[in-house]
Amino acid sequence: MRKLFFILIMVGFISCGDKKPEPFGKASDEVLKDATPIVVDEKLKLGEELFNGVGMCKSCHLPDKKVIGPSIVEIARIYKDKEANMVEFLKENADPIVDPSQYEVMKTNFAITKTMSDDELKAIEAYMYSFLK
Ligand code: HEC
């Protein structure tokens, strides 16, 4: 019994010893935590640039008012609720779920979105989702 107790204490010691480098681990976690919002910001910025720039999406999609196309908020809400994949839609691999009757109008934009990389499409998706409160 005593021996077991001794072993337990030793194990305790050893694992304490193992924990020593923890400050380093913590430090790098903090660095990562700090870095994440920057990465997210970069993604949103890229999405915004593409949406308002090359994509010309802004001409038909305003933040919360329907113009030619449904508003960004409406699209984002429906995609979120249905857990739908916007990137696949923009690659013309998925059917419309927001306003299928107007699909032909949206379809003309695939010529542009199909030239975009997955990362660029994901950035647009993230930008559109960022309008949800
Ligand atoms: C010429 C006007 C027009 C432009 C430009 C336009 N859209 Fe659309 N978009 C529409 C219309 C109309 C709909 C509704 C039809 C539909 O739901 O497919 C729509 C629907 C959508 C939907 C929802 C699709 C669904 O599941 O029903 C997404 C996502 C979308 N647009 C993203 C974009 C992005 C990203 C761009 C820029 C690359 C863009 N749109 C540019 C008119 C446009």
Side-chain angles (χ1 to χ4, degrees):
M1 205 48 202
R2 269 196 171 193
K3 241 185 193 166
L4 184 65
F5 190 60
F6 182 66
I7 288 169
L8 281 178
I9 289 181
M10 282 312 287
V11 168
F13 258 108
I14 291 164
S15 47
C16 275
D18 279 344
K19 277 186 192 150
K20 259 191 185 158
E22 198 182 40
F24 292 107
K26 265 198 182 145
S28 58
D29 278 354
E30 266 154 33
V31 170
L32 271 180
K33 252 185 236 151
D34 285 348
T36 313
I38 297 169
V39 173
V40 171
D41 281 354
E42 290 291 319
K43 197 176 176 185
L44 290 182
K45 223 174 95 189
L46 173 65
E48 184 179 13
E49 273 168 22
L50 293 168
F51 194 91
N52 297 336
V54 226
M56 295 182 296
C57 321
K58 196 184 172 183
S59 53
C60 293
H61 297 292
L62 292 185
D64 52 12
K65 196 170 135 237
K66 185 184 157 73
V67 274
I68 299 166
S71 72
I72 300 175
V73 169
E74 185 186 354
I75 293 173
R77 192 174 293 134
I78 290 174
Y79 266 78
K80 199 180 173 199
D81 285 352
K82 300 203 171 170
E83 288 176 23
N85 190 328
M86 206 183 285
V87 172
E88 287 304 309
F89 172 79
L90 295 172
K91 290 202 278 188
E92 209 177 354
N93 292 336
D95 292 331
I97 54 169
V98 176
D99 187 0
S101 70
Q102 297 297 306
Y103 182 49
E104 291 302 317
V105 183
M106 179 56 207
K107 241 177 151 178
T108 56
N109 300 292
F110 294 142
I112 299 172
T113 53
K114 278 181 176 172
T115 66
M116 294 178 183
S117 68
D118 274 19
D119 280 346
E120 288 174 324
L121 294 175
K122 279 181 196 156
I124 289 183
E125 180 185 42
Y127 174 67
M128 292 179 80
Y129 275 128
S130 74
F131 284 81
L132 292 179
K133 294 276 144 56

Coordinates of all heavy atoms in Angstrom, one line a residue, residues 46-59 112 116:
L46 N -11.6 40.6 -47.9 CA -11.5 40.1 -49.2 C -12.9 39.9 -49.8 O -13.2 40.2 -50.9 CB -10.7 38.7 -49.2 CG -10.7 38.0 -50.5 CD1 -9.9 38.7 -51.6 CD2 -10.1 36.6 -50.3
G47 N -13.8 39.3 -48.9 CA -15.2 39.1 -49.3 C -15.8 40.3 -49.7 O -16.5 40.4 -50.8
E48 N -15.6 41.4 -49.0 CA -16.3 42.7 -49.2 C -15.8 43.2 -50.6 O -16.5 43.7 -51.4 CB -16.0 43.6 -48.1 CG -16.6 45.0 -48.3 CD -16.3 45.9 -47.1 OE1 -15.4 45.7 -46.3 OE2 -17.0 47.0 -47.0
E49 N -14.4 43.1 -50.8 CA -13.8 43.6 -52.0 C -14.4 42.9 -53.2 O -14.7 43.5 -54.2 CB -12.3 43.4 -52.0 CG -11.6 44.5 -51.3 CD -10.1 44.2 -51.0 OE1 -9.6 43.3 -51.7 OE2 -9.5 44.8 -50.1
L50 N -14.5 41.6 -53.1 CA -15.0 40.8 -54.3 C -16.5 41.1 -54.5 O -16.9 41.2 -55.6 CB -14.8 39.3 -54.0 CG -13.4 38.8 -53.9 CD1 -13.3 37.4 -53.4 CD2 -12.7 38.9 -55.3
F51 N -17.2 41.2 -53.4 CA -18.7 41.4 -53.5 C -19.0 42.8 -54.1 O -19.9 42.9 -55.0 CB -19.3 41.3 -52.1 CG -20.8 41.2 -52.1 CD1 -21.4 40.0 -52.1 CD2 -21.6 42.3 -52.1 CE1 -22.8 39.8 -52.1 CE2 -23.0 42.2 -52.1 CZ -23.6 41.0 -52.1
N52 N -18.3 43.8 -53.7 CA -18.6 45.1 -54.2 C -17.8 45.4 -55.5 O -18.1 46.3 -56.2 CB -18.2 46.2 -53.2 CG -19.0 46.0 -51.9 OD1 -20.1 45.5 -52.0 ND2 -18.5 46.5 -50.8
G53 N -16.7 44.7 -55.7 CA -15.8 45.0 -56.8 C -16.1 44.1 -58.0 O -17.1 44.1 -58.6
V54 N -15.1 43.2 -58.3 CA -15.2 42.3 -59.4 C -16.5 41.5 -59.6 O -17.0 41.3 -60.6 CB -14.1 41.1 -59.4 CG1 -13.4 41.0 -60.7 CG2 -13.1 41.3 -58.3
G55 N -17.0 41.1 -58.4 CA -18.3 40.3 -58.4 C -19.5 41.1 -58.8 O -20.4 40.6 -59.4
M56 N -19.4 42.4 -58.6 CA -20.6 43.3 -58.9 C -21.9 42.9 -58.2 O -22.9 43.2 -58.7 CB -20.7 43.5 -60.4 CG -19.6 44.2 -61.0 SD -19.8 44.5 -62.8 CE -19.9 42.8 -63.4
C57 N -21.7 42.1 -57.2 CA -22.9 41.5 -56.5 C -23.7 42.7 -55.9 O -25.0 42.6 -55.8 CB -22.5 40.6 -55.4 SG -21.0 39.6 -55.8
K58 N -23.1 43.7 -55.5 CA -23.7 44.8 -54.8 C -24.8 45.5 -55.7 O -25.8 46.0 -55.1 CB -22.6 45.9 -54.5 CG -23.0 46.9 -53.5 CD -21.9 47.9 -53.3 CE -22.3 49.1 -52.5 NZ -21.1 50.1 -52.5
S59 N -24.6 45.4 -57.0 CA -25.6 46.1 -57.8 C -27.0 45.4 -57.7 O -28.0 46.0 -58.1 CB -25.1 46.1 -59.3 OG -24.7 44.8 -59.7
I112 N -18.7 34.9 -63.6 CA -17.7 35.6 -62.8 C -17.3 34.7 -61.6 O -16.2 34.4 -61.4 CB -18.3 36.9 -62.2 CG1 -18.6 37.8 -63.4 CG2 -17.2 37.5 -61.3 CD1 -19.3 39.1 -62.9
M116 N -13.6 32.4 -59.7 CA -13.0 32.6 -58.4 C -12.6 31.3 -57.7 O -13.2 30.3 -58.0 CB -14.1 33.3 -57.5 CG -14.4 34.7 -57.9 SD -15.7 35.4 -56.9 CE -16.0 37.0 -57.7

